[in-house]
Amino acid sequence: MASSKDRIAMLDGHLGKTAPVVTLQRKGCAGIISLNRPKALNSLNQEMIDLLQPALRACETDPQCKIIILRGEGRAFCAGGDVVDLATAARYPDKRHKSVNLFKGEYETDRYIAHLRKPLISLLHGITMGGGAGLSVHGSFRVATEKTVFAMPETGIGLFPDVGANFFLPRMDGQLGTYIALTSERLTGFAVYQSRIATHFVPSSAMPELVEKLVSLKMDGKDGKAVSRAVDECIESFASEDEKTKTTLVGEKRKAIDECFKYDRMEDIVQALKKCAGGEAGGDLSTWSKETLKTIELKSPTSLKVTLEGIRRGKTMGINEVLQMDMEIGEMFCNADIVPDFAEGVTHLLVNKRKDRAAWNPSTLEQTSDSQILDIFFNPSKRKYTQLVKAEEHMVDYLEYPHSNFGLPAEEKIVDYASSTSTGQAKKEDVLKWAREKYGDKPGLKGYVGEVLDRRQ
């Protein structure tokens, strides 16, 4: 049996002799994996999926490799899956297995990342959407730059946020994850960090030096926690704020998001947005509500309802459970005879480059039966779904990410601490002191904590 070092050499050599859609380099203490389809914005195809997990495994089993760096060549980290081929295959019974197999391999890779025993540092420079989220958000460290553009755009093409998004979206603060999933709202730069999708923000000009510092870290004799601390400290030494790309999803708009998107039925969310649009607040909030309604109107009703149900279920499910659920949902979208919207949406938006509403079937939320949504997508007892390969022994299911302490603190933790004092409400400076001691003096922490307390107290 080949050693881990030999496996890296063989993989690297193999990739060098064929189309290098994934490359692997050993440098210093790191294994550097690069997605290398820049003209396709590093969109994932079957060849990339087939190579990614062996590359990750080679790094994880090599004792000289202490950390793993994942990056994309060109102007994207990863723009998602190669959905045109997937949607085309969904139309033909003899080709659907190709789409199912790609989803299966992708989700198994995402699960492998979710259970990596070495730190994974994903450099989210450029476009990071869909499948790019699955490759990064489940890992230890995610570094955004001012050029990062994050989104889950699936409802616009008749699909659903998959790749384990039903795990991380409902664990975002308030209803941000629900809002991002249903509207395909884009987060840019520092906002990706403020939303806790990224654990750090580093200017793009500093990224080459950051990589050099990471691969040069002295890791000999350090255990897993010490290695992670060293990585965190290294990235933090390059971190900064960026005023130009700070989030606008704060204050009254954020209150409206949490209020409107808290419901478990799409019809109720739409009604809440209509009420907000015509409410007394007026001004910017009314405009935002009306624009959000127009955005939702363009989306696939089936995708909207499946997405909302998946997020609500995923809130109480383990990461392994969520990925198997995604497999079952995804398999149904791969069958255009049962669910035509994926094939229709991709053809309309990406092939024909249309900007108007696609011919969704069913056409409206009212025509989209809740009972049929549950029966088709969430009834594993009714049909035989494709099963992900059995999880390895160390891949124990969990309900919260074990590495969630590297980014900004969750809002609930801030609010819980603020209300845990004998007076029932700690002063803002005391909460900030606690946050700095527990999470470090991270860029933007003061403003972040202050905004949470102003909005929630």
Side-chain angles (χ1 to χ4, degrees):
M1 181 179 292
S3 68
S4 56
K5 186 174 182 180
D6 290 336
R7 282 195 293 271
I8 287 183
M10 288 189 294
L11 182 60
D12 198 25
H14 168 72
L15 295 175
K17 294 175 183 177
T18 61
V21 292
V22 175
T23 63
L24 172 59
Q25 177 188 11
R26 271 280 283 110
K27 188 173 183 180
C29 68
I32 303 175
I33 301 172
S34 298
L35 308 178
N36 192 31
R37 291 185 71 208
K39 290 183 179 180
L41 302 179
N42 297 319
S43 296
L44 298 171
N45 60 11
Q46 190 66 61
E47 184 180 7
M48 295 175 77
I49 293 297
D50 290 344
L51 292 168
L52 268 168
Q53 194 173 141
L56 290 162
R57 190 178 296 276
C59 294
E60 189 173 34
T61 55
D62 180 2
Q64 300 304 312
C65 180
K66 304 298 183 181
I67 62 175
I68 307 169
I69 298 173
L70 181 61
R71 64 186 182 186
E73 299 293 344
R75 62 189 183 94
F77 171 72
C78 173
D82 206 342
V83 293
V84 173
D85 286 347
L86 295 177
T88 301
R91 296 185 186 275
Y92 303 99
D94 62 334
K95 295 182 179 179
R96 288 171 187 156
H97 68 282
K98 294 182 179 179
S99 299
V100 173
N101 288 341
L102 188 142
F103 279 140
K104 181 175 182 290
E106 186 177 10
Y107 302 161
E108 287 170 353
T109 301
D110 296 333
R111 186 181 62 187
Y112 191 89
I113 287 171
H115 296 285
L116 272 172
R117 288 166 288 189
K118 292 181 179 179
L120 176 70
I121 304 105
S122 298
L123 306 181
L124 308 183
H125 182 60
I127 300 169
T128 303
M129 298 184 182
L135 295 180
S136 57
V137 178
H138 304 308
S140 312
F141 300 95
R142 290 91 61 197
V143 184
T145 76
E146 75 280 3
K147 296 182 180 180
T148 301
V149 180
F150 178 91
M152 300 302 293
E154 290 82 2
T155 56
I157 57 170
L159 195 57
F160 74 108
D162 57 341
V163 298
N166 284 318
F167 188 83
F168 69 78
L169 289 171
R171 286 163 177 80
M172 292 180 69
D173 294 324
Q175 297 300 324
L176 275 179
T178 306
Y179 171 68
I180 288 170
L182 296 176
T183 66
S184 306
E185 174 80 6
R186 292 189 174 195
L187 302 176
T188 304
F190 200 72
V192 183
Y193 163 71
Q194 289 175 296
S195 70
R196 299 193 302 115
I197 291 293
T199 57
H200 299 78
F201 176 87
V202 173
S204 60
S205 59
M207 291 295 275
E209 187 179 356
L210 170 61
V211 172
E212 288 303 312
K213 290 288 186 181
L214 284 169
V215 302
S216 300
L217 290 174
K218 302 301 181 184
M219 299 296 196
D220 292 341
K222 293 185 177 180
D223 61 16
K225 290 184 178 180
V227 169
S228 292
R229 284 196 299 271
V231 170
D232 186 37
E233 291 171 1
C234 179
I235 302 174
E236 283 291 353
S237 69
F238 289 88
S240 68
E241 292 191 53
D242 182 47
E243 292 290 338
K244 293 182 179 179
T245 60
K246 282 190 173 181
T247 184
T248 62
L249 304 180
V250 293
E252 293 303 313
K253 183 188 288 188
R254 174 55 197 284
K255 287 182 181 179
I257 289 172
D258 286 353
E259 179 61 29
C260 293
F261 286 83
K262 68 183 181 182
Y263 299 99
D264 295 335
R265 297 184 70 249
M266 274 306 307
E267 291 87 345
D268 294 334
I269 289 175
V270 169
Q271 283 302 118
L273 285 166
K274 288 180 177 179
K275 183 178 179 180
C276 184
E280 297 179 359
D284 292 343
L285 202 57
S286 178
T287 300
W288 167 80
S289 303
K290 291 174 182 177
E291 291 300 320
T292 302
L293 284 166
K294 290 180 182 179
T295 297
I296 288 176
E297 170 62 23
L298 291 173
K299 310 298 185 182
S300 157
T302 295
S303 294
L304 290 170
K305 289 200 169 185
V306 170
T307 295
L308 185 58
E309 181 68 21
I311 287 174
R312 296 299 185 252
R313 289 179 178 235
K315 179 72 173 179
T316 58
M317 296 172 71
I319 182 66
N320 295 345
E321 291 180 285
V322 165
L323 284 162
Q324 180 57 46
M325 178 177 71
D326 284 0
M327 183 69 247
E328 294 164 7
I329 299 171
E331 187 165 7
M332 299 313 300
F333 275 102
C334 288
N335 188 334
D337 292 336
I338 300 174
V339 186
D341 278 6
F342 180 36
E344 165 63 24
V346 170
T347 301
H348 184 88
L349 187 68
L350 301 181
V351 177
N352 296 334
K353 310 294 184 182
R354 298 276 297 273
K355 300 297 183 182
D356 57 339
R357 194 174 192 269
W360 306 123
N361 184 16
S363 180
T364 67
L365 289 172
E366 291 72 25
Q367 294 170 354
T368 309
S369 164
D370 291 344
S371 61
Q372 285 188 335
I373 291 293
L374 294 176
D375 187 53
I376 293 172
F377 297 98
F378 300 96
N379 189 357
S381 64
K382 184 174 181 179
R383 57 181 59 83
K384 185 178 180 180
Y385 292 101
T386 296
Q387 298 293 306
L388 301 183
V389 67
K390 185 178 179 181
E392 297 175 37
E393 187 175 350
H394 74 278
M395 295 180 179
V396 179
D397 221 354
Y398 54 74
L399 291 172
E400 298 292 339
Y401 285 121
H403 44 69
S404 59
N405 61 316
F406 292 123
L408 289 168
E411 282 188 12
E412 290 303 324
K413 292 186 182 297
I414 294 172
V415 174
D416 287 347
Y417 180 81
S419 60
S420 66
T421 63
S422 57
T423 61
Q425 186 171 338
K427 293 181 180 179
K428 190 177 294 186
E429 54 266 29
D430 293 330
V431 179
L432 180 59
K433 181 181 178 182
W434 161 82
R436 282 173 170 160
E437 290 175 349
K438 188 171 180 63
Y439 295 90
D441 194 11
K442 304 178 74 67
L445 181 65
K446 181 178 180 180
Y448 175 81
V449 169
E451 193 282 325
V452 171
L453 293 176
D454 289 342
R455 174 166 42 84
R456 296 286 299 271
Q457 289 189 334

